Structures are given as C-alpha cells and as structure tokens.
Amino acid sequence: MNWNAQLYDGKHRFVSEFGQDVIKLLAPVAGEKILDVGCGTGDLAASLFSQGVQAAGVDQSPSMIQEAKQKYPDVSFLVRDAHDLQYEEEFDAVFSNAAIHWMKQPGRVLTSIWKSLKPGGRLVAEFGGKGNVRAISRTIIHQIDDYDSKMFPWFFPSVGEYTCMMEQAGFRTAFAEHFHRPTRLEGADGMHNWITMFGDVVMGAQTPEEKKRIITGAVNELKEEYFFTDYWIADYWRIRVVGIKE
Ligand code: BEZ
C-alpha cells in the first residue's frame, strides 16, 4: 500500500485519538517494553514513550515510518511486516490500533505477535470487526461493474472467529468485545476524504478517472443517510481484545 502520510495525519487524526482508549486498556507501566504493530505515523508509540515506556513501532508502509521518524526522532520505528515480525520474546506487550484488519493472514500475524512477546506478555488490540464500514464498502462496490469479491481488502471478523484464532496461536483470551462506534468524518468533504484515503484499495486497478467517478457516485449514494449538515458518519464496528501469552 502506498499511503499518503500527510492526508492520514491531516484529515484522519481521529484514528490515533480513538487509540487513546485502547492505551487505557493496555495500562502501560513505565519501563515496560511495548511494540506498536501497524504504528502509522507514530502518535500512539510516541504517547507510550512519553509515559516512560520503552516503545517501538513497526509498520509495513515506508512513507508512514518515514513520517513517524521525522515527528518522533527519539522513538524507534522500523518498516516491518506484521506477518513476520522477527522478534523472539522481546516485549512485555504488543499493542495495535486500527491496523489488524489490513493484514491478509491474521493467523500468521497472531503467531508472529505471540513469538515477539515474553512469556506472560499481553496483546492489546482494536480493529474493525464484523459489519465495519459495511455501508461505505457496499456503496463503493455498487459503483463498480463486475466487482470481484476476492479483491475485498479487509478482514473484519466476529469476536468468535477472532478469539478462536487467538487461542489457536497460543493466547488466553482475557477480554473481547465487539461494539458499534459511529465515527464522525468532519466537513462536507469528510466522506470523500475517507474514501480517497482508505477506499482506494477497494477500487483496485481502476483508472484515476474511473476512481473519481466511483467516489462521486458513492458519496452521492451515502449522502441521504450519513451526511448531517457539516459532518458525515462512518459506520464503524470495533473489536477489542486482550490476549495473554501462556
Ligand atoms: C477502520 O479503522 O475500521 C478502517 C479504516 C480504514 C479502512 C477500513 C477500516
């Protein structure tokens, strides 16, 4: 994925703002070694660092990591694929916010996280769950002739599916929840910005002109139900989990 780190920071800051709730669930202790998987432009790893944590962040996007390093030169950031983190029993906790749904082989990701943790270490994560952005993705797909469902880019499991995978990877599920979080996209162009930033992958190899048409069509379709004078609502559903490495 070729991410636009400036558009991410400029218009989608709510991603790391919501992440503060997940940090509360993580309950970091100063001195702990914690890895942020899918750290984006580094805000949450930096927030952990400011609380005295030995924080590190990894992301598979070079542009996100470049931006993270520029913003927070004191924190360690690396380009790494979460399917193969290459750490052995290094971290007290692995944390992840709004990233796991992008990862194609969730079982491999869980095994790789499990290996990275010290015995007794914890995984604390939030990501899109079953039903997440259903209206938005259906509307984009509706604009595309002969959409191949194999191209659907995200993994939005139910809590049952995901906790089963956690247990197969060797975690004890200490906490799991699946909840609706309608999410505000600010401004009259909020949905247009969201689809430009995140929906591009749903559109696959369409030409730039086709993509423009699809975005305009999708925004018009969504308007009646999801636009409110000067903001939009995105139909987010979240999964939150805590797993303990046994
Ligand atoms: C999410 O955080 O739920 C999400 C973000 C971008 C694309 C799909 C889902």
Side-chain angles (χ1 to χ4, degrees):
M1 265 290 306
N2 193 11
W3 284 95
N4 180 336
Q6 271 78 34
L7 182 59
Y8 184 78
D9 268 358
K11 303 278 184 195
H12 302 99
R13 183 157 289 282
F14 66 83
V15 177
S16 40
E17 286 165 4
F18 279 126
Q20 289 297 341
D21 289 346
V22 199
I23 288 192
K24 280 191 201 134
L25 188 61
L26 174 67
V29 174
E32 279 190 315
K33 215 175 158 189
I34 301 184
L35 178 68
D36 181 353
V37 169
C39 64
T41 60
D43 294 349
L44 297 174
S47 163
L48 292 173
F49 181 80
S50 72
Q51 295 173 51
V53 165
Q54 294 179 58
V58 291
D59 201 289
Q60 54 81 45
S61 160
S63 59
M64 291 290 198
I65 289 296
Q66 191 187 1
E67 186 73 11
K69 282 182 170 169
Q70 248 160 33
K71 281 161 64 180
Y72 307 111
D74 296 334
V75 183
S76 156
F77 291 108
L78 284 175
V79 177
R80 282 219 184 154
D81 179 353
H83 296 82
D84 183 20
L85 289 165
Q86 298 172 29
Y87 294 112
E88 292 280 335
E89 300 196 353
E90 280 199 37
F91 296 97
D92 298 294
V94 169
F95 167 82
S96 184
N97 178 51
I100 284 175
H101 51 249
W102 291 98
M103 299 170 189
K104 297 284 178 206
Q105 296 177 60
R108 267 185 69 203
V109 171
L110 280 165
T111 300
S112 171
I113 291 173
W114 189 90
K115 283 187 188 149
S116 309
L117 285 166
K118 297 175 187 171
R122 61 203 189 279
L123 162 65
V124 178
E126 178 180 313
F127 54 95
K130 194 168 179 146
N132 195 43
V133 296
R134 185 176 275 157
I136 302 177
S137 51
R138 279 194 179 157
T139 311
I140 299 171
I141 289 167
H142 184 231
Q143 293 290 324
I144 303 174
D145 291 334
D146 302 326
Y147 185 78
D148 176 358
S149 61
K150 284 202 268 330
M151 280 170 48
F152 192 76
W154 301 306
F155 162 67
F156 296 139
S158 70
V159 116
E161 283 169 302
Y162 198 70
T163 53
C164 203
M165 285 180 166
M166 285 170 67
E167 284 160 26
Q168 271 164 8
F171 288 100
R172 172 171 60 81
T173 304
F175 173 81
E177 68 175 349
H178 183 204
F179 60 96
H180 193 204
R181 187 175 65 209
T183 297
R184 266 175 90 112
L185 308 175
E186 296 300 339
D189 54 358
M191 185 59 76
H192 186 279
N193 289 334
W194 192 98
I195 298 177
T196 303
M197 175 85 212
F198 298 121
D200 194 69
V201 277
V202 184
M203 294 184 267
Q206 308 282 334
T207 63
E209 294 71 32
E210 262 302 282
K211 285 184 180 176
K212 268 194 190 157
R213 183 199 60 75
I214 292 165
I215 296 174
T216 307
V219 167
N220 284 337
E221 265 191 62
L222 289 162
K223 200 164 190 164
E224 189 172 331
E225 204 170 336
Y226 296 96
F227 182 57
F228 302 85
T229 52
D230 59 352
Y231 67 93
W232 292 75
I233 288 292
D235 53 335
Y236 275 32
W237 280 87
R238 314 314 284 168
I239 280 198
R240 273 189 196 160
V241 290
V242 178
I244 308 296
K245 174 171 179 170
E246 302 214 296

